[in-house]
Amino acid sequence: MSRAERLLDLMQVLRRHRIPVSGRHLAEETGVSLRTLYRDIASLQAQGAAIEGEAGLGYVLRPGFTLPPLMFREEEIEALVLGMRWVATRTDGPLASAAGDALAKIAAVLPAELRERLDTSTLIVGPAEAVPERIDLAALRGAIRAQHKVTIRYRDAGGAGSERVIWPFALGFFERVRVVVAWCETRNDFRHFRTDRIETLTLTGERYARRRHALLREWRALQGIAPAA
């Protein structure tokens, strides 16, 4: 186990205790010597962890403390790199750029050992062949965040066109296409729209009547999809 992983384990153990716990007990739970435990506590405190207490009295993690990014496990680092690389090749320009910026911010606060693993990750995302789109996905994502109605001109698989007012609340990214999940005022029901078949997108600036999360929960239930963890 690397030192970074050992420190993360110690933080997780401290999170489970609401009252001060002795150094000896923490050492037993984390499988290290008492001397190593005291060094690890000091290291975490030096890095900003809100651990209160001292040898002989016990230690407790102050409530509300947020685990810093530098405490990511190696596999979590790999998951982040792979996910960001996927986003960079499978989404619109602004979101792809944001993925690169986020990864750079994480790298800036990682200790040297983990930063090197991030930079040298061997997990690769293959080339993408997305179907071209006519609309601005960033604008669509903005409407979803703001819970605003949009008007679209849509052409279905058979070539028939229609104009709809929809309440977009989710956007699915697949290997080649993206799909908007929305409540359709025309059909008075949930509908799915491939973004490459949306010919025009007009932002109304009008907030729709229900909360986005409520629509998402209802749609998940109808699809038989378990709630997100």
Side-chain angles (χ1 to χ4, degrees), residues 4-17 26 30 37 40-41 43-45 47-51 61-62 65-68 70-71:
E5 290 173 326
R6 192 176 73 242
L7 294 179
L8 176 58
D9 284 346
L10 176 55
M11 288 291 293
Q12 300 294 58
V13 169
L14 284 166
R15 282 183 179 279
R16 295 199 295 267
H17 295 280
L26 290 171
T30 55
L37 184 280
D40 288 349
I41 289 284
S43 294
L44 288 170
Q45 289 173 327
Q47 293 171 10
I51 301 172
L61 183 65
R62 187 184 306 156
F65 177 73
T66 302
L67 199 64
L70 60 84
M71 297 305 299

Side-chain angles (χ1 to χ4, degrees), residues 198-209:
I198 299 177
E199 298 181 335
T200 62
L201 173 76
T202 303
L203 304 176
T204 68
E206 179 184 354
R207 192 178 179 91
Y208 44 74

Side-chain angles (χ1 to χ4, degrees), residues 5-212:
E5 290 173 326
R6 192 176 73 242
L7 294 179
L8 176 58
D9 284 346
L10 176 55
M11 288 291 293
Q12 300 294 58
V13 169
L14 284 166
R15 282 183 179 279
R16 295 199 295 267
H17 295 280
R18 301 301 183 193
I19 60 175
V21 58
S22 70
R24 189 170 300 280
H25 183 78
L26 290 171
E28 291 175 356
E29 280 203 62
T30 55
V32 299
S33 69
L34 188 58
R35 183 177 179 181
T36 297
L37 184 280
Y38 288 146
R39 285 204 306 265
D40 288 349
I41 289 284
S43 294
L44 288 170
Q45 289 173 327
Q47 293 171 10
I51 301 172
E52 299 176 345
E54 58 184 83
L57 296 177
Y59 298 92
V60 65
L61 183 65
R62 187 184 306 156
F65 177 73
T66 302
L67 199 64
L70 60 84
M71 297 305 299
F72 285 127
R73 293 180 185 273
E74 183 172 357
E75 287 180 341
E76 292 171 336
I77 292 291
E78 289 188 332
L80 282 168
V81 172
L82 184 62
M84 295 299 186
R85 287 176 178 173
W86 193 93
V87 170
T89 59
R90 299 294 192 279
T91 61
D92 56 274
L95 202 57
S97 178
D101 291 344
L103 201 56
K105 289 178 181 178
I106 291 171
V109 297
L110 286 174
E113 176 188 359
L114 292 182
R115 185 165 59 248
E116 181 180 357
R117 293 176 189 176
L118 183 149
D119 293 337
T120 59
S121 173
T122 56
L123 302 182
I124 298 171
V125 175
E129 294 183 6
V131 176
E133 294 159 324
R134 304 180 187 181
I135 64 169
D136 181 357
L137 282 187
L140 176 59
R141 289 190 287 103
I144 292 173
R145 287 194 300 270
Q147 302 179 106
H148 284 173
K149 299 180 183 182
V150 298
T151 300
I152 62 171
R153 179 70 183 174
Y154 190 74
R155 194 162 299 278
D156 64 21
S162 62
E163 187 167 300
R164 314 281 188 96
V165 175
I166 64 173
W167 306 358
F169 59 85
L171 182 59
F173 289 84
F174 298 87
E175 190 64 22
R176 299 187 68 247
V177 300
R178 291 92 170 186
V179 177
V180 185
V181 186
W183 178 265
C184 177
E185 290 190 355
T186 303
R187 298 291 184 256
N188 197 34
D189 201 356
F190 293 108
R191 286 292 186 269
H192 307 117
F193 302 94
R194 280 181 44 165
T195 56
D196 59 297
R197 293 177 181 165
I198 299 177
E199 298 181 335
T200 62
L201 173 76
T202 303
L203 304 176
T204 68
E206 179 184 354
R207 192 178 179 91
Y208 44 74
R210 298 183 60 193
R211 290 178 58 84
R212 180 181 68 242

